[in-house]
């Protein structure tokens, strides 16, 4: 890039927002893909890629995707946990596909409404408040 | 597609020396091998600060802190953490005397108690990537200044903030800028002093290494406020990584038009040149530094006329150090009120009325967590050494802490609750200095420590004025005499008198502060000097001529069965005795190296 003006600075800042949010571990929503041996065998890698694609397509910069080990429900894999920080208890989604991930983004990640049809019993996941 | 995870590998001088670049290469190889190169990125950052446990890396967004890494650990971490999502406990930090590791960086006390302003970008950006700096709000402050502030408003903001010189003098930065601006001249210069030369100090080096653009932006703002279009960074050539990153940063800033003419289309011109120093300690003194940039010998001059009036090439010159410049963009962005809410005292009426903001210290010596820290002014020495620093190594007892570099004073245990600010440190005979902090434990001899630091300043004396050249030499002679057991009580009187003469009559601050270690140890640890002089003993067991090693015959035979390890390791062949029999030390031959004391597993050897 050549000589910059103030608008160019703002553009670079905007482009780097997601990168900086990740590097500081800050974000509004945290998605954890369960990647134990069971999860990987059931296709967790595709779920992780699907989640990353959704973030890119929608240009989100406050959603963090990370991975964790087996959640103990191997028969329900692939699974992911979605947590809207400071709002509700984490929700576990089961038997996932790329299409389901997309729908979870539409409602839970963006609007804060749990996609009940794919969720493991929501009630049992809630902590006492 | 965007990455999902960043591996922030420390590439400060300390970690690089511990092979962190090989760790980085290995990570990249393993990540490619597992096909993760589109998801996980490796980023090299400036000094993370926790140098004691390097090489280290932080995995984001999880915030997991891995320490003491070896190349052989990498395949396991990649497999477990990045593929299976199971962070590796064995490579996490565990506090001394505890068993449970602390996974997250933000939960480790060393980091949790810090307040990063100057070091806000450490571990977050790649210092060689200008876009990273901009993404963190970089060059926003110069944009604000150029669009909405007059030079006078910028100076007023810095004055209100209470920022004072971080190189050690503590002169109010805003007043310096204002004075310099008001001297009429066809040209004004600004200088960044990056000639940090104190043994055990690495604040400025690390700041340049981890965030060089912050220094450049600070200088841009200073240039605008003072009315200068040309700045110099005086940096020692023996800081190769810092120099390299600074050169890269200046080049990138030029390519973006953030240095040069008509910056950000606002009609402001500014250029930065690098002057490399050869590593002379005295060149950290402002007039000697300017002489060195001009190509003359680095010697100070009397400052009847200040450098803000006649400095570099006799033009009005404003010199600040690295840390001072790096504070400036944040003050402009977040406001003077915010900055002055951190720290001690009140600077609204009197610019010397308090110490505001934070200070970066390099913590070294006999402390568990050696490294680089940034803390609010007014924090106590106790909190720095025992909470952030994790206490004294090997469970030993604290004896003293030296603040302010080789010409700072030693502060004893009774003053550990002293709040760290400019005035308080001066009151007890030490100083803020540039921020070196060296911790001594019960095994350090204070006479020996004073001798060590004085021998440094003595060697670095440029020789221009007599009190510093001759005075420090005679002081060193006396200290040597004392550590060899030949000192007298009159020597202590003479030593004190000489110290005061050197302080009062030296030309520059090098001589003016060189006696501080001697004066403070005489004040707070006089009994140690007296033990050397009267009893011919060294309480810290460090002065070889005054100590004797002996072997307890009972322990040697009963517990150790005359194991002979001491004799095998003695470089002087001074230990007599056969295996299974009593061993003794021949005092005539003994070189007092202490190796036998260290290798004896049965504590049969004692020193007095």
């Amino acid at each position: 890039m050549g000589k910059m003006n103030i608008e160019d600075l703002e553009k670079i800042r905007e482009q780097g927002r997601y990168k900086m949010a990740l590097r500081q571990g800050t974000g509004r929503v945290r998605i954890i893909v369960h990647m134990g041996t069971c999860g990987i065998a059931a296709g967790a890698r595709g779920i992780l890629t699907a989640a990353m694609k959704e973030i890119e397509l929608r240009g989100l910069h406050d959603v963090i995707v990370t991975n964790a080990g087996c959640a103990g429900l191997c028969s329900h894999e692939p699974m992911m946990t979605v947590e809207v920080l400071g709002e509700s208890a984490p929700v576990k989604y089961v038997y996932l596909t790329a299409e389901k991930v997309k729908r979870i983004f539409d409602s839970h990640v963006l609007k804060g409404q749990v996609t009940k049809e794919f969720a493991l019993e929501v009630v049992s996941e809630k902590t006492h408040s | 597609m965007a990455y999902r995870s960043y591996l922030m590998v420390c590439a400060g001088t300390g970690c690089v020396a511990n092979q962190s670049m090989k760790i980085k290469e290995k990570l990249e190889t393993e990540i490619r091998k597992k096909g993760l190169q589109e998801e996980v990125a490796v980023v090299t950052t400036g000094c993370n600060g926790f140098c004691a446990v390097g090489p280290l890396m932080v995995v984001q967004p999880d915030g997991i802190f891995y320490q003491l890494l070896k190349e052989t650990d990498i395949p396991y971490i990649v497999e477990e953490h990045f593929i299976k999502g199971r962070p590796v406990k064995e490579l996490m930090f565990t506090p001394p005397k505890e068993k449970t590791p602390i996974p997250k960086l933000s939960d480790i006390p060393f980091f949790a108690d810090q307040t990063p302003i100057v070091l806000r970008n450490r571990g977050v950006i790649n210092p060689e990537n200008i876009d990273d700096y901009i993404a963190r709000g970089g060059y926003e402050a110069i944009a604000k200044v150029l669009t909405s502030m007059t030079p006078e408003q910028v100076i007023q903001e810095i004055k209100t903030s209470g920022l004072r010189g971080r190189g050690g003098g503590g002169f109010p930065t805003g007043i310096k800028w204002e004075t310099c601006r008001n001297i009429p001249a066809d040209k004004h210069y600004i200088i960044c002093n990056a000639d940090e030369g104190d043994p055990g100090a690495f604040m400025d080096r690390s700041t340049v290494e981890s965030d060089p653009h912050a220094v450049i932006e600070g200088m841009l703002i200073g240039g605008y406020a003072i009315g200068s279009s040309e700045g110099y960074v005086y940096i020692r050539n023996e800081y190769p990584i810092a120099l390299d990153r600074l050169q890269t940063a200046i080049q990138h800033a030029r390519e973006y038009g953030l240095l040069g003419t008509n910056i950000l289309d606002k009609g402001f011109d500014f250029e930065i040149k690098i002057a490399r120093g050869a590593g002379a300690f005295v060149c950290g003194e402002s007039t000697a530094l300017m002489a060195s940039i001009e190509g003359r010998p680095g010697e100070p001059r009397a400052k009847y006329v200040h450098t803000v009036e006649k400095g570099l090439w006799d033009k009005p010159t404003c010199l600040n150090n690295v840390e001072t410049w790096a504070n400036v963009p944040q003050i402009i962005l977040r406001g003077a009120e915010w900055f002055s809410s951190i720290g001690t005292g009140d600077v609204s009426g009197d610019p010397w009325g308090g110490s505001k903001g934070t200070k970066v210290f390099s913590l070294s010596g006999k402390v568990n967590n050696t490294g680089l820290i940034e803390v609010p002014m007014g924090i106590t020495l106790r909190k720095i050494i025992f909470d952030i620093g994790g206490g004294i190594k090997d469970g030993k007892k604290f004896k003293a802490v030296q603040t302010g570099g080789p010409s700072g004073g030693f502060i004893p245990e009774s003053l550990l609750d002293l709040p760290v600010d400019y005035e308080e440190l001066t009151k007890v005979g030490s100083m803020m200095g540039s921020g070196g902090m060296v911790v001594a434990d019960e095994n350090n001899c204070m006479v020996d420590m004073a001798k060590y630091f004085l021998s440094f300043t003595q060697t670095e004396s440029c020789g221009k004025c007599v009190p510093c050249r001759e005075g420090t030499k005679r002081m060193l002679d006396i200290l040597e005499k004392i550590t060899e057991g030949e000192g007298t009580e009159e020597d202590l009187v003479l030593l004190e008198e000489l110290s005061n003469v050197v302080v009062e009559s030296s030309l520059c601050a090098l001589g003016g502060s060189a006696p501080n270690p001697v004066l403070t140890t005489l004040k707070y640890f006089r009994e140690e000097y007296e033990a050397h002089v009267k009893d011919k003993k060294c309480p810290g067991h460090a002065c070889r001529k005054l100590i004797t090693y002996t072997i307890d015959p009972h322990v040697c035979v009963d517990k150790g069965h005359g194991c002979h390890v001491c004799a095998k390791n003695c470089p002087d062949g001074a230990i007599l005795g056969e295996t299974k029999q009593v061993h003794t030390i021949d005092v005539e031959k003994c070189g007092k190296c202490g190796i036998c004391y260290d290798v004896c597993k049965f504590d049969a050897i004692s020193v007095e």
Side-chain angles (χ1 to χ4, degrees), chain A residues 56-119:
Chain A
E56 175 147 37
L57 282 175
R58 296 161 198 258
L60 304 176
H61 49 69
D62 55 359
V63 181
I64 287 168
V65 177
T66 171
N67 60 343
C70 168
L73 263 174
C74 312
S75 58
H76 292 51
E77 296 282 7
M79 291 170 58
M80 73 180 193
T81 303
V82 175
E83 186 180 7
V84 181
L85 297 178
E87 276 190 17
S88 55
V91 177
K92 283 194 169 57
Y93 290 101
V94 295
Y95 302 120
L96 289 174
T97 62
E99 182 53 34
K100 287 180 184 172
V101 170
K102 193 175 169 214
R103 288 189 48 201
I104 292 167
F105 265 79
D106 284 336
S107 65
H108 194 171
V109 174
L110 289 179
K111 296 178 195 151
Q113 290 159 357
V114 177
T115 323
K116 285 181 187 158
E117 44 187 316
F118 312 138

Side-chain angles (χ1 to χ4, degrees), chain B residues 430-608:
Chain B
S430 187
M431 57 183 193
M432 183 74 77
S434 54
M437 212 174 253
V438 183
V439 177
D441 72 9
E442 54 186 312
N443 288 123
N444 286 112
C445 164
M446 298 318 288
V447 185
D448 187 52
M449 293 283 275
K451 189 179 86 175
Y452 170 79
F453 285 106
L454 189 70
S455 72
F456 174 81
T457 38
Q458 201 281 317
T459 320
E460 293 290 341
S461 169
C462 75
K464 184 171 181 175
C465 72
V466 179
C468 178
R469 182 182 69 228
E470 292 302 322
T472 54
K473 186 86 188 79
R474 295 287 84 79
M475 287 168 65
L476 194 60
D477 288 346
I478 296 175
L479 285 170
E480 252 157 35
K481 215 173 131 191
I482 295 173
T483 53
E484 288 180 0
E486 280 155 27
T488 62
E489 287 181 61
E490 290 75 53
D491 283 332
L492 297 186
V493 179
L494 182 61
L495 184 61
E496 195 154 8
E497 197 185 327
L498 258 177
S499 300
N500 288 321
V501 169
V502 174
V503 170
E504 293 294 323
S505 53
S506 290
L507 183 61
C508 82
L510 196 159
S513 58
N516 277 345
V518 178
L519 283 168
T520 48
T521 46
L522 274 170
K523 184 173 171 190
Y524 300 117
F525 299 95
R526 196 166 191 101
E527 69 286 355
E528 290 204 21
Y529 279 89
E530 284 171 354
H532 283 74
V533 170
K534 288 185 193 160
D535 313 330
K536 309 294 175 199
K537 296 261 186 217
C538 173
H541 303 145
C543 301
R544 288 190 181 187
K545 292 233 165 134
L546 300 180
I547 54 172
T548 0
Y549 285 91
T550 42
I551 302 176
D552 183 324
H554 297 294
V555 182
C556 178
V557 178
D558 298 347
K559 279 198 188 157
H561 306 288
C563 73
H564 204 59
V565 169
C566 56
K568 265 190 212 155
N569 283 284
C570 177
D572 302 314
I575 300 184
L576 311 170
E578 298 297 321
T579 312
K580 293 187 185 168
Q581 286 172 6
V582 175
H583 287 64
T584 51
I585 297 174
D586 181 345
V587 254
E588 295 293 308
K589 279 192 187 168
C590 175
K592 321 269 178 79
C593 65
I595 291 176
C596 56
Y597 181 87
D598 293 334
V599 296
C600 180
K601 286 180 192 156
F602 308 99
D603 292 333
I605 298 173
S606 59
V607 55
E608 243 188 65

